[in-house]
Amino acid sequence: MKFKQKTMVIAYTWNCKTVDTYPKKDDKADVIFNVHWRLTGVDDTEDKNTGDSYGVVSLDTEDLSTFTAFADITEEDVIAWVQTALGDEQVESIRNSINAQIAEKITPTVVTKTIGV
């Protein structure tokens, strides 16, 4: 009899709410130039294992012809900017790192123990 092994599914969530801005650049206000991002992955097992990665990405502010006022920017906009700035390969690499963190929690390759306790 063969058993079908369930494939683990990982849900990823971006947090791109923290940004650095230039108070004034050219004739624009609150121009975002850095985004502090975090990508978290959670598996669909009962334990809800997690992994995450974080960093800062710089945005190109040389051409502000498509500038959006700060009050009109959504987190979805910023996530798209971060993903574009990182590029598909880097985003995939980050996801792979998160997957490896979760796999390590499920099946550890190293366990730290204390002698005499």
Side-chain angles (χ1 to χ4, degrees):
M1 181 187 298
K2 290 186 178 182
F3 293 97
K4 186 175 181 181
Q5 186 175 10
K6 181 184 176 203
T7 304
M8 179 177 53
V9 176
I10 299 176
Y12 301 96
T13 305
W14 286 92
N15 178 327
C16 296
K17 295 179 181 178
T18 304
V19 297
D20 298 323
T21 66
Y22 296 121
K24 292 279 186 202
K25 180 166 175 42
D26 301 334
D27 61 341
K28 311 295 184 202
D30 298 321
V31 176
I32 298 172
F33 68 92
N34 276 339
V35 178
H36 303 260
W37 60 266
R38 178 177 296 272
L39 182 60
T40 302
V42 180
D43 72 12
D44 64 346
T45 66
E46 187 176 311
D47 293 332
K48 300 292 184 202
N49 297 292
T50 63
D52 69 344
S53 186
Y54 58 90
V56 177
V57 67
S58 296
L59 303 177
D60 183 3
T61 60
E62 290 304 310
D63 179 8
L64 298 177
S65 62
T66 60
F67 180 78
T68 303
F70 190 85
D72 297 330
I73 295 172
T74 66
E75 187 177 13
E76 289 75 24
D77 294 330
V78 181
I79 291 168
W81 298 342
V82 167
Q83 290 174 343
T84 298
L86 291 172
D88 292 340
E89 285 185 28
Q90 184 66 24
V91 170
E92 187 63 25
S93 176
I94 293 166
R95 286 184 177 171
N96 289 338
S97 172
I98 291 169
N99 296 351
Q101 291 172 41
I102 292 172
E104 180 67 22
K105 288 178 180 179
I106 293 169
T107 309
T109 57
V110 174
V111 177
T112 302
K113 296 187 175 201
T114 304
I115 304 297
V117 176

